[in-house]
Amino acid sequence: MKKRDIIELIEANNVIEEHQDLLSTIQNKTYWSSSYKNEKYWFPDIKEFEEYFKVLKKELLQAQEETKKAMETIQSKECSHEIRLSYHSLFSSSNHCVLCGHTASSDNVISFKESSYRNKHTVTFVSKDQEDEDGYYKVETGKTRREVYGMILEILKNYEDEEEIDLVKEFDKLNLENVKINKEKRKQENYILIIGGTNLEYLNQEKGIFISKEIKTSSLKIFQYFISLLNTKVAVIDRKEIIEKPIFEEIEKDHSKILLQEYTTFGYLETALYQVRNIPFKLIIDLSEIYDYKIEESEIKETPHDLNLQDSFPNSQIVKIDYSTNDNDLERTCNHMKELLKK
């Protein structure tokens, strides 16, 4: 990253930390998320403190706005997650980027959603502040985020604002103790999503009566083609009849490279797509044939349903393949898609 971007990230984090305690007084927090309370519930209705509450409300609104802008700054930067603090638990550890907050699991965690090279080319300090089942504790040889920022800012003094900086290389020069430095370069991984099959619509779910199209999918052939490529991860969303075919059992299920999800109705397909929405798929191959069904005057009417994949995956290249594609055309299409991955 450039010096200018690194400094902006540090400053944004400092703003968030500065306002954290104040804003915690107006937050509704749950295990999964937090949100701000409605303004009318910020303060009790006490007349003698009304003027004081007005001043405090102004401070809260300002802190809220500055925090929002700081978070937008962090989200706008393409961070390389090179400098981390590690947090330990009983069976594994996680590594948190000090600049953007990105979390990467330790290497002993099998993960499709995370890169196999997620901890390469990194500098990792043990966090001074840890937590286990017995509560919070300190690691004397660990570092706080502010201490790491101090070291980064000292390195940045030797650079101009627009210069690109390899922080891993710079930290390696310092010969620090109690730090893990991995100088190995990360390799580019390509994530691919294949959507096959067709949805069914229940007419009577209790009796198992439904309508559907015949399954005519080539997802298996396309899966075989791409899973053989180096540094490639493939997710397949298809009907149960396809996912359970022996060909998938014959392929060694490396769960860090392969993700299989099945669906029946359109609702289940929507859920499957929602579950993979945050995976950075470079290529999405849509072989699905999805329909909306309804009965009018004792006749079944069907209307093709557009999955609007570009809305859900705006940064992915999406290729729609028609069922009429023959094997020769399919091979040419696969070769073309392979070239798209190189771009």
Side-chain angles (χ1 to χ4, degrees), residues 228-240:
S228 63
L229 302 181
L230 290 175
N231 299 317
T232 301
K233 296 189 174 193
V234 183
V236 179
I237 300 175
D238 211 320
R239 289 283 295 273
K240 182 178 181 179

Side-chain angles (χ1 to χ4, degrees), residues 163-180:
E163 282 189 88
E164 289 284 343
I165 303 170
D166 186 334
L167 287 174
V168 175
K169 183 177 179 181
E170 293 299 322
F171 269 96
D172 189 47
K173 295 176 184 177
L174 300 179
N175 296 315
L176 299 170
E177 295 181 353
N178 303 313
V179 61
K180 181 180 178 181

Side-chain angles (χ1 to χ4, degrees), residues 241-283:
E241 299 93 313
I242 301 300
I243 296 298
E244 291 185 346
K245 282 189 177 291
I247 189 169
F248 281 118
E249 297 176 4
E250 294 168 8
I251 298 171
E252 183 179 357
K253 288 188 174 65
D254 181 350
H255 295 296
S256 68
K257 289 190 63 178
I258 302 168
L259 178 67
L260 305 176
Q261 290 187 288
E262 62 185 57
Y263 74 92
T264 50
T265 64
F266 174 63
Y268 281 109
L269 174 58
E270 281 190 310
T271 299
L273 289 171
Y274 182 80
Q275 290 173 342
V276 299
R277 70 195 185 285
N278 293 324
I279 298 176
F281 292 110
K282 188 168 186 179
L283 177 64

Side-chain angles (χ1 to χ4, degrees), residues 68-106:
K68 178 184 176 183
K69 289 181 179 178
M71 293 177 69
E72 289 173 350
T73 295
I74 292 172
Q75 293 167 1
S76 70
K77 301 295 181 185
E78 191 170 340
C79 184
S80 52
H81 320 310
E82 292 177 340
I83 314 301
R84 283 98 172 276
L85 290 174
S86 66
Y87 296 83
H88 301 290
S89 63
L90 186 60
F91 298 108
S92 64
S93 64
S94 59
N95 306 306
H96 296 225
C97 175
V98 299
L99 296 177
C100 73
H102 174 81
T103 299
S105 301
S106 57

Side-chain angles (χ1 to χ4, degrees), residues 145-175:
R145 190 166 58 176
R146 284 194 175 274
E147 287 174 329
V148 177
Y149 287 164
M151 289 186 280
I152 293 174
L153 292 173
E154 193 64 31
I155 289 171
L156 298 183
K157 289 180 180 179
N158 300 318
Y159 288 89
E160 299 296 327
D161 285 351
E162 297 302 315
E163 282 189 88
E164 289 284 343
I165 303 170
D166 186 334
L167 287 174
V168 175
K169 183 177 179 181
E170 293 299 322
F171 269 96
D172 189 47
K173 295 176 184 177
L174 300 179
N175 296 315

Side-chain angles (χ1 to χ4, degrees), residues 167-203:
L167 287 174
V168 175
K169 183 177 179 181
E170 293 299 322
F171 269 96
D172 189 47
K173 295 176 184 177
L174 300 179
N175 296 315
L176 299 170
E177 295 181 353
N178 303 313
V179 61
K180 181 180 178 181
I181 297 180
N182 184 310
K183 293 185 285 185
E184 184 179 346
K185 293 291 184 181
R186 297 178 200 168
K187 296 180 181 178
Q188 176 66 43
E189 282 184 309
N190 290 316
Y191 282 82
I192 298 172
L193 171 61
I194 304 170
I195 308 167
T198 184
N199 62 308
L200 61 83
E201 181 79 18
Y202 281 103
L203 300 178

Side-chain angles (χ1 to χ4, degrees), residues 13-14 93 126 145 195 284 304 312:
N13 277 288
N14 286 338
S93 64
V126 174
R145 190 166 58 176
I195 308 167
I284 297 177
S312 302

